[in-house]
Amino acid sequence: MNVLLITPETYHPSSKVEADVCIIGSGAGGSIAAAKIVKKGYSVVILEKGPYVNQSDFTQRQKEIVPRLYEGSGAQATDDLSMAILQGSVYGGSTTVNWMTSLATPDYVLDQWVNQFKLNEYDLGSMQRHSKEVSERLKVHRVDELSHNPQNLMLLKGSEKLGFHAYTSYNNSVNCIGCGHCGLGCTYNAKQDMRLTYLQDALSQGIEIFTSTKASKIKYKSSSKQVIHAVMTLENDRFITFEVHTEKTIVSASAIATPLLLQKSKLTAGGTVGKHLQLHPVSGVFGIFEDKMYPTSGIPQSVVVDEYLNMDGNGYGFWLETPDLEPFLAGAYYPGMGIERREELKQLNNMGVIITLVRDGANGKSTVSNGEVKWRRGFNLQNGSFSLGLVPSIRYKISKPDLRHLLKGLEVSVKIALASGAKRVLTVHNQKTDIRNTVDAKIVHSLPSGPNQLGMFSAHPTGTSRMGMDTKSSVVDQTCEMHNYPGVFVMDGSIVPTAPGVNPMITILSMVSRAIEIGEW
Amino acid sequence: MKKFLEDLDRSQIKFFRKKEIPKALLIGETILGVSFQELGLEFIYELDSYIDGLDSYLRKDIHTLYTFISSRLMLIIKGHTHRSFDKMSKMKRDNYLRRWMESRISIFRTGFVTVKSLSSWAYYSLEQGENEIEYPGVTINREHITPTLLFGSQPLDPKDYLEE
Ligand SMILES: Cc1cc2nc3c(=O)[nH]c(=O)nc-3n(C[C@H](O)[C@H](O)[C@H](O)COP(=O)(O)OP(=O)(O)OC[C@H]3O[C@@H](n4cnc5c(N)ncnc54)[C@H](O)[C@@H]3O)c2cc1C
Ligand code: SF4
């Protein structure tokens, strides 16, 4: 058996690699696909653009970790820069740096997929089975209630006081010590990310994983022959190129990079590759307390408030959590500027932050396209830049109903923080707020909240190569195979047909697991 | 400023052009509320090294932004002044950048958010910035007596349960 983890240090040049299946990307989708497919007897190669990392790389220092392990050094954003899009670009993908919340896809979301997209294979019964299986592998469990950090307890207690439904969440960890640095990778190997679960399983069955290796193009020859151009980055910006000759290709590069790769490879027939981007837009409030809150310590997102998930009766709304607040996020999002802001930030340990995550797509039609990922050149009106060459472009406009939900989320967050004892609450609007009583919480609805007037970010892109039966409005079928390019599969967040309305890792893992079960593997 | 920059080690600078460095410092000073002397050269090294790691098309855009934000034309239109960016009073510079932040034209806000995020990144990545916000920071190589922070009027201070 050939067990190989190939990094720039261990690579022996060869211009051609052959495998039955080549998987592009080692994140949630790519890892589970590798583990399941290698088990069926196929030879599998993974190409991962990001570096190989283990415990010793997780130094807990944002300036060492973020530029190295995040896509675009953490600076990836929509064209108008109104929304940063955080993604891991590293061995294990975003799961290596994610905040561990592990929730199964809600039943009403699955019903929508069955009814509107005719995804009969993804009904509640089937998905529950797969969610259970992947959750067991990831050691998903309910967080011990004694482990909430002050910030999460603030969210829980405040919600209970106001009668909002809140619960202790689930995550994928073992012996987590609550260091609070999930976003920088787990130094303690407590987080059960892909590196420690499905990639281990895949490696133990004998696959090859090339890290620091980017797939730059897929040459589609036929349903049983594709050639992938790979570029491995070596030290000092040197690189080597080679080809992977394969019978099946699985693109698992994430909902941003997958459509870009498919477009570069001209695998775009049908016209929907890159469209229908969903982001679960996030904004937040800073509550300032008398007591210490230590928002940068402890287990992130250990409480969920789901009271408002169904605001208009069609399954759209928002939920509340608390972030893993590394200083760079606090610095970027804390409102205002100047000396006053500096002085306030000195009280960071007395702040509790609540984030609102919106299930976007509430426009009423699930076919609506608020967002798109594509290559562009020329003048970009969104940010005033000009480029002769092609550059990746992410366009996203939050719809009116989604913005209404987001603002309602901020209003509710303000009330919860105040109910838990906050002296003052600030939203992340440019126009500075300083809310001291619940009556004033409504003010959030009247503040300018357009692009870059209200701070927003996303860590949940999905939908850009979505699954469906209709070949005109979707990209892949129920087995994740592309409608127009048999032999090429998409298995990552891109396939999720509508925003799942919960943190998406378990949804992506379960969908891929199901797709492989029903596919001809 | 000139005197301050005499100690700058040019060999550590990969991204910034000479003329951009005072501008980046003054923008940092205005947004962060930390005087450029206090920001120190480390701020410039950190900012430079971060931007240098970004994709080339972004680096190009950031050069344009630093030039644009401190250009005479912009200062006249948005700053209502004929003075150069370096020579404006602190208050005028503050007002000028606030106008970018609050502009009704979204492209100005985009520019503002970019320099705010970059400046915040650099400062709060430095030990000085971390100390200022009393960031509990690294837990490696300290023994954890308890994994949790308990809520209450006197929650545990991470410093108490993280033994040196
Ligand atoms: C900070 C953060 C916190 C999060 N918190 C949670 C949470 O608490 N709970 C939850 O459910 N979800 C969370 N998520 C989201 C979750 O981790 C992602 O939804 C999930 O990992 C997406 O899986 P994926 O397979 O689509 O892509 P990813 O996991 O992002 O993996 C894609 C991989 O493909 C690689 N790649 C890209 N292009 C190429 C190429 N051309 N060639 C080779 N490789 C390539 C990338 O480097 C990356 O490693 C979080 C994400 C982030 C960033
Ligand atoms: S909080 Fe827990 S899971 Fe997250 S990095 Fe720290 S020890 Fe690991």
Side-chain angles (χ1 to χ4, degrees), chain A residues 60 98 100 171-192 298-300 324, chain B residues 139:
Chain A
Q60 301 185 330
N98 83 10
M100 301 196 293
N171 78 23
N172 56 324
S173 66
V174 176
N175 298 330
C176 163
I177 64 133
C179 75
H181 297 304
C182 290
L184 303 179
C186 184
T187 312
Y188 305 93
N189 270 355
K191 174 161 61 182
Q192 299 299 293
I299 304 168
D324 165 0
Chain B
T139 59

Side-chain angles (χ1 to χ4, degrees), chain A residues 421-454:
Chain A
K423 293 179 294 175
R424 311 162 47 203
V425 188
L426 283 77
T427 61
V428 296
H429 284 92
N430 281 352
Q431 192 169 325
K432 199 150 172 218
T433 49
D434 186 352
I435 307 173
R436 293 166 193 251
N437 61 64
T438 47
V439 182
D440 292 342
K442 277 219 170 325
I443 195 177
V444 300
H445 299 279
S446 54
L447 297 170
S449 300
N452 293 315
Q453 290 174 318
L454 171 65

